[in-house]
Amino acid sequence: MAKKQTAGRDRLGEFAPKFAQLNDDVLFGEVWSREEELSPKLRSMITIAALLSGGNFEQLESHLKLGKKHGITKEEITEMITHLAFYCGWPKAWSAFHLAKEIYQD
């Protein structure tokens, strides 16, 4: 079962309470908790691919960390980014590798 998400409320709760509630309760509470339909690892892989393709590197960092917690190995993340480089852009892959290298340094 997915851990209860509070990042929305922690970071935006006072400024954008409805957005924070949707982030924590709907996206991470209802969607991410549907583990019978897609495993957390697969959801992380899909999310990482989507964020990389859109160039959303601020969010990519936290999802790389979450993906690692969900069992994405260093070998898998490097293969994912290499594969995505050809579909999403070489510079985006370079940026993603910079983040992944820091997260997977151990």
Side-chain angles (χ1 to χ4, degrees):
M1 183 75 172
K3 180 183 170 193
K4 174 76 173 145
Q5 180 63 256
T6 62
R9 286 180 177 87
D10 294 346
R11 296 179 187 161
L12 290 174
E14 290 183 28
F15 185 75
K18 185 61 179 179
F19 182 87
Q21 180 261 322
L22 292 168
N23 181 81
D24 295 352
D25 299 343
V26 178
L27 174 58
F28 285 97
E30 294 179 28
V31 177
W32 274 84
S33 68
R34 296 170 45 88
E35 294 180 12
E36 289 185 25
E37 292 76 12
L38 288 174
S39 70
K41 180 178 178 178
L42 187 53
R43 284 187 193 277
S44 283
M45 291 175 126
I46 293 165
T47 303
I48 289 166
L51 293 172
L52 188 152
S53 70
N56 300 302
F57 296 104
E58 185 176 339
Q59 292 78 24
L60 180 61
E61 181 177 1
S62 63
H63 279 281
L64 285 168
K65 290 175 183 176
L66 187 59
K68 184 177 179 184
K69 286 181 187 175
H70 288 156
I72 299 174
T73 66
K74 177 184 171 237
E75 294 74 22
E76 289 170 327
I77 200 65
T78 59
E79 188 63 25
M80 284 175 59
I81 296 169
T82 300
H83 186 81
L84 288 165
F86 290 92
Y87 291 92
C88 303
W90 209 255
K92 289 178 183 176
W94 270 102
S95 296
F97 271 126
H98 175 74
L99 293 171
K101 186 177 175 185
E102 289 180 16
I103 293 164
Y104 283 84
Q105 66 185 341
D106 53 356

